[in-house]
Amino acid sequence: MEPGTEVRTWLAPAKINLALHVIGQRADGYHLIDSLAVFTRFGDRLEIERAELDEFSVSGRYAAGLPLDGDNLVVKVRDALRREAGMQQGSPVAIRLEKNLPIASGVGGGSSDAAAALNGLARLWKLDIDDNSLARIGLSLGADLPMCLKSKPLIARGIGDEVSPLSAFPALGLVLVNPGIAVSTPDVFKALSSRDNEALPPLPKRLDFHTIRNWLETTRNDLEPAARSIEPAIGEALKALKKADAAFARMSGSGATCFGLFETGNVAKRAAIEIRARHPDWFVAATRSMEVSDGEA
């Protein structure tokens, strides 16, 4: 195929940890988690096409400061998948990343970019490779990658690598807010006061906006107190969401991005406009999470 004849665009959605319990620590230092995660319709975008030589470029609001060499997870994924496939199958590609999600912000942006690249390249190169093999390659580069490869509502356990997609989960109206700060995940884990907390309670049998909101009230993000002690602005983001009438607000992942739950997409959009007007320098995005219907998982 001639270079440039097939350009595919892949969404790298934001990963939102609706609840995240830290339930232990392995001997190698990795923390064990129990988390309910969803993925949003808003995220980064990757364009992938065949080329004469490998190329990688980044554009978008959060492009500045991202490495363009082998330190970037997208480049690491390309090279790892090519090693797996063999040079004959892994022909040169141009990858363009549109970076719409803040960096080091608790929404799995880098991992989601890498997962989109893994999925996209496996298809572009027409590799005979199953989901388990992709997850294995992904896990070698980051604990978040197996769940980002699924990018559907799921429960993640272990170090994030034991992924159980949910058979049904509704779309949720969300507003994502980041007060313009990056938080180091290792620093947050270091600041944890307890690493041995109880697991998530079982999900309600009937899943709708109200039952999920009520269930979330019985759960935690165990990383939130530690992150807030490092970066008090996280508290300001949560306050802004509550002031905009979020039905529920919490920090995602290791922060500093926080999410607010809203009953409809339109209510979420209005809340985002209100928060943006008060905090023009912040990252604010209204979106919906991806749903899964019975039998799709």
Side-chain angles (χ1 to χ4, degrees):
M1 187 183 287
E2 287 297 309
T5 55
E6 184 190 2
V7 184
R8 292 286 302 274
T9 302
W10 299 87
L11 174 68
K15 171 181 67 69
I16 306 300
N17 299 97
L18 295 179
L20 198 169
H21 292 196
V22 178
I23 60 170
Q25 190 170 12
R26 295 196 317 199
D28 61 5
Y30 273 102
H31 290 81
L32 301 172
I33 64 163
D34 202 2
S35 178
L36 169 63
V38 295
F39 294 81
T40 69
R41 296 173 188 279
F42 179 83
D44 296 338
R45 292 192 172 274
L46 266 83
E47 277 187 357
I48 306 176
E49 66 178 320
R50 295 181 189 275
E52 295 289 352
L53 296 167
D54 280 331
E55 296 167 37
F56 177 59
S57 59
V58 186
S59 63
R61 180 177 175 185
Y62 294 101
L66 269 189
L68 297 176
D69 57 10
D71 285 337
N72 192 291
L73 263 182
V74 170
V75 175
K76 285 183 181 176
V77 151
R78 180 199 69 198
D79 296 346
L81 189 58
R82 186 176 275 145
R83 278 194 299 275
E84 184 92 5
M87 291 304 286
Q88 279 79 17
Q89 285 181 286
S91 56
V93 283
I95 304 175
R96 292 179 286 278
L97 169 61
E98 181 184 290
K99 193 73 190 154
N100 303 315
L101 294 168
I103 296 157
S105 68
V107 293
S111 297
S112 196
D113 297 341
L118 258 182
N119 278 324
L121 289 168
R123 280 158 185 75
L124 183 78
W125 286 336
K126 297 182 171 57
L127 301 183
D128 182 15
I129 190 166
D130 62 16
D131 290 350
N132 289 338
S133 299
L134 284 180
R136 175 178 48 77
I137 295 167
L139 183 60
S140 71
L141 299 169
D144 266 2
L145 260 85
M147 63 178 111
C148 289
L149 279 164
K150 293 286 183 202
S151 63
K152 285 180 176 176
L154 53 83
I155 300 285
R157 296 190 175 93
I159 60 170
D161 58 326
E162 296 167 26
V163 174
S164 306
L166 299 173
S167 58
F169 202 84
L172 299 172
L174 296 165
V175 175
L176 312 182
V177 173
N178 185 295
I181 49 173
V183 179
S184 154
T185 301
D187 288 354
V188 171
F189 274 106
K190 265 185 222 142
L192 271 179
S193 56
S194 168
R195 292 169 168 75
D196 195 11
N197 307 295
E198 73 274 14
L200 288 176
L203 277 167
K205 294 222 173 351
R206 193 167 135 270
L207 290 166
D208 60 29
F209 178 84
H210 297 287
T211 59
I212 291 166
R213 193 203 73 83
N214 293 341
W215 180 84
L216 285 173
E217 294 282 5
T218 71
T219 67
R220 308 175 309 279
N221 178 349
D222 286 329
L223 303 182
E224 191 177 303
R228 287 178 71 164
S229 71
I230 294 167
E231 199 39 88
I234 292 164
E236 297 304 310
L238 290 166
K239 244 184 253 171
L241 284 162
K242 283 168 186 160
K243 195 168 182 181
D245 292 328
F248 181 85
R250 174 174 280 165
M251 187 185 85
S252 176
S254 56
T257 304
C258 298
F259 67 88
L261 210 53
F262 294 85
E263 193 150 6
T264 69
N266 283 336
V267 178
K269 279 179 194 159
R270 283 199 296 274
I273 289 165
E274 188 185 312
I275 296 168
R276 213 175 278 121
R278 289 200 186 110
H279 304 279
D281 298 339
W282 287 8
F283 163 82
V284 182
T287 186
R288 284 173 74 70
S289 64
M290 296 185 210
E291 67 188 309
V292 62
S293 303
D294 275 321
E296 269 184 54

